[in-house]
Amino acid sequence: SGIKPGNSVETDKLPSDIRNRAMEAVDACGRRVTIGDVASKAGLKLNEAQKALQALAADTGGFLEVSDEGDVLYVFSRDYRSRLAAKSFRIRIEPFVEKAKSAAEYLIRVSFGTALIASIVIVYTTIIALLSSRSDEDNRGRRGRSYDSSFTFFFRPSDLFWYWDPYYYRRRQMQRDGMNFIESVFSFVFGDGDPNQGIEEERWKLIGQYIATNGGVVTAEELAPFLDLLPAEDSVDDESYILPVLLRFDGHPEVDEEGNILYQFPSLQRTASSQRSGRKEYVGRRWADWVGGVEKFFKEKKWQFSKTSNSERVMVIGLGGLNLFGVIILGTMLRNTAVTTTGFITFVSDIFPLLQIYAGSFFAIPLFRWFLLSKENAEIEKRSQVRERRARALELPTPQLRQKLLSARDMAQRTIIGQDRVIYSTENDLVDQDYEAREWDQRFREI
């Protein structure tokens, strides 16, 4: 029916991230959107936004509207999400897959901390067993009895899991500060993940919304606070850093009467939303209070070595050191022992290389990671300083820059496509097709 090409689910061919961002933008814009609306709101490339809208319309029974100037609008019903979920098995199972991934990640974090406790127990239990065997060997050696150093180990591995919290995620939603000790072990060694995960999508959202709310015409200086400027590009005359934005949102340069280079984005100038664009009075000092409803400049978070508290970190380092010390002592004892070993001690001898690797990497990995994070944070600080300096230049613009900004506002335009400008809609075709189907069905019944 309608524009649906067949029985295949078109949205399943899209990356989940693009599909979800497009749907969020559709909802935010009132389910009646242009390609430019979705591209600017979601930070997507224009072709990505177009493909996403076409797939959503095909799978949810959405329809198209065409304006008197040839603009295409996509219109969706209130229940388009439920329609899509009913049709797409992939969308229905995605929440369960995400929960499974989260549970697996948590198990990995807890397992690494559990391994530290297990290593300490195994190492020092083996040391005690070897000391006991040597003492018994000295006492029984005169009678010529050979010693069997088999040692009954009553520690059950399952006992290590008693402190695992089965309601971890529910509890962390209510209390997000702090972590348990087992988590802090993993956090100390491997960190807590990228603090800027997903931040590139946020960057392009900021840029797209800034351009759209300012009428689709901006200067390079206005976008500089949102981009990564290399030292060679951090000059007034070099505007090559604007190229990725032009490619993403299909923009092109324009020259005003004074010879200033401005950048126009026609696709972001046409919208189904009635939100007003920027005006001249928002240029200059008041720019600090109003920047099209978006952040003044793009902010990156610095990498944190670990989110553990000082007391947790001291405890983790102490136990790690205790384990390393025990492994060194145990290694010396295993090399020098002349006792015939069986049972538990033989098992420990077999896995001893793994215990050595764990004990050594427990401190080697954090040390290596500390050097990498120091270098990365220095780079982040440099980029942040450049962006902040560019943002301050817009708060107190020079006369030349102020004139350039005013010229961009003069060229800005925002075409709102209302219902009065729609000359064609596929909704009418769908209604006609449905009416004809009912007519034929009624005739068939009469026959």
Side-chain angles (χ1 to χ4, degrees):
S1 62
I3 60 176
K4 183 171 63 177
N7 294 324
S8 63
V9 183
E10 297 298 316
T11 49
D12 285 351
K13 302 175 184 178
L14 299 173
S16 298
D17 176 60
I18 292 179
R19 182 199 66 217
N20 293 334
R21 288 162 62 186
M23 293 173 69
E24 290 173 2
V26 168
D27 292 338
C29 295
R31 299 184 306 279
R32 183 174 180 269
V33 295
T34 63
I35 295 174
D37 287 333
V38 173
S40 62
K41 197 72 175 179
L44 297 173
K45 297 179 181 178
L46 287 176
N47 62 332
E48 291 176 341
Q50 183 178 13
K51 290 179 181 179
L53 287 173
Q54 289 174 347
L56 289 172
D59 292 335
T60 63
F63 57 91
L64 309 182
E65 294 179 346
V66 181
S67 71
D68 52 1
E69 294 185 3
D71 301 294
V72 178
L73 291 85
Y74 295 80
V75 184
F76 300 90
S77 61
R78 291 181 179 273
D79 62 343
Y80 83 97
R81 282 182 176 267
S82 59
R83 290 187 181 185
L84 183 60
K87 185 174 182 180
S88 172
F89 177 74
R90 174 185 171 187
I91 291 178
R92 290 199 299 273
I93 67 170
E94 275 183 356
F96 300 101
V97 174
E98 291 300 320
K99 289 181 181 179
K101 287 182 180 179
S102 299
E105 291 172 0
Y106 177 63
L107 289 177
I108 292 173
R109 293 177 70 90
V110 171
S111 297
F112 194 85
T114 302
L116 175 62
I117 306 299
S119 178
I120 292 174
V121 171
I122 292 173
V123 167
Y124 283 93
T125 301
T126 308
I127 291 174
I128 294 172
L130 288 173
L131 291 176
S132 299
S133 67
R134 286 182 179 181
S135 177
D136 290 342
E137 182 70 17
D138 291 339
N139 294 332
R140 300 174 183 176
R142 294 179 180 180
R143 289 178 289 181
R145 295 176 57 184
S146 63
Y147 178 76
D148 184 358
S149 63
S150 60
F151 181 78
T152 304
F153 186 54
F154 293 101
F155 181 81
R156 293 176 301 175
S158 60
D159 293 337
L160 290 172
F161 298 90
W162 66 271
Y163 46 77
W164 282 20
D165 185 358
Y167 302 103
Y168 167 77
Y169 290 104
R170 186 182 305 174
R171 176 175 55 80
R172 288 298 292 272
Q173 288 177 356
M174 297 183 292
Q175 181 181 357
R176 295 187 179 276
D177 296 331
M179 61 181 69
N180 61 45
F181 171 74
I182 300 302
E183 287 181 282
S184 64
V185 174
F186 187 93
S187 175
F188 171 77
V189 177
F190 296 104
D192 302 287
D194 187 356
N196 296 311
Q197 185 176 5
I199 203 169
E200 279 302 311
E201 290 80 2
E202 295 300 320
R203 181 210 300 269
W204 289 113
K205 285 181 183 179
L206 290 175
I207 294 174
Q209 292 174 31
Y210 184 88
I211 295 172
T213 53
N214 282 277
V217 180
V218 295
T219 65
E221 289 83 355
E222 290 178 276
L223 298 183
F226 303 110
L227 300 171
D228 294 336
L229 275 65
L230 299 175
E233 298 172 337
D234 187 21
S235 64
V236 178
D237 297 330
D238 187 1
E239 297 184 356
S240 59
Y241 56 83
I242 204 73
L243 289 176
V245 184
L246 298 178
L247 293 173
R248 192 176 194 88
F249 297 118
D250 194 22
H252 57 83
E254 294 282 348
V255 180
D256 64 6
E257 296 178 355
E258 286 76 22
N260 297 313
I261 300 178
L262 310 175
Y263 298 93
Q264 185 176 12
F265 300 84
S267 297
L268 305 189
Q269 292 180 309
R270 314 188 74 80
T271 178
S273 173
S274 59
Q275 184 179 0
R276 303 179 71 179
S277 62
R279 297 182 179 180
K280 294 181 185 179
E281 58 263 34
Y282 294 118
V283 178
R285 281 186 176 272
R286 292 188 60 184
W287 186 92
D289 303 318
W290 190 93
V291 195
V294 298
E295 296 288 341
K296 300 174 185 177
F297 61 94
F298 179 66
K299 299 176 182 177
E300 287 182 87
K301 296 179 182 178
K302 290 187 177 180
W303 285 75
Q304 194 173 354
F305 179 79
S306 174
K307 294 181 180 179
T308 56
S309 63
N310 291 332
S311 59
E312 290 173 331
R313 201 171 302 177
V314 170
M315 187 178 297
V316 170
I317 293 175
L319 288 180
L322 180 66
N323 183 55
L324 180 61
F325 176 76
V327 168
I328 295 173
I329 298 299
L330 179 59
T332 303
M333 295 179 68
L334 289 175
R335 285 193 300 270
N336 297 332
T337 185
V339 180
T340 303
T341 59
T342 59
F344 175 72
I345 296 179
T346 302
F347 168 73
V348 174
S349 298
D350 293 338
I351 67 169
F352 187 70
L354 296 178
L355 297 177
Q356 289 178 308
I357 293 173
Y358 182 88
S361 62
F362 193 88
F363 291 102
I365 293 175
L367 181 62
F368 178 71
R369 199 165 56 83
W370 183 81
F371 283 108
L372 288 182
L373 295 187
S374 299
K375 181 180 179 180
E376 180 63 24
N377 286 336
E379 295 296 324
I380 291 176
E381 180 65 24
K382 290 180 182 178
R383 293 193 294 266
S384 298
Q385 289 177 355
V386 173
R387 296 192 200 102
E388 191 171 0
R389 184 168 64 251
R390 288 302 191 102
R392 276 199 223 102
L394 291 172
E395 294 182 17
L396 295 171
T398 62
Q400 182 180 1
L401 177 57
R402 183 178 179 84
Q403 182 60 42
K404 188 176 181 180
L405 295 172
L406 288 172
S407 179
R409 298 296 86 85
D410 285 335
M411 290 181 62
Q413 57 179 338
R414 192 128 168 104
T415 302
I416 300 173
I417 307 169
Q419 290 290 349
D420 57 327
R421 301 190 58 179
V422 174
I423 60 173
Y424 173 75
S425 174
T426 58
E427 183 182 23
N428 298 329
D429 293 342
L430 294 177
V431 173
D432 293 341
Q433 290 175 9
D434 187 54
Y435 176 76
E436 291 178 3
R438 288 198 301 269
E439 282 276 322
W440 281 106
D441 183 66
Q442 183 63 28
R443 292 180 183 180
F444 178 78
R445 290 177 182 275
E446 291 176 355
I447 295 173

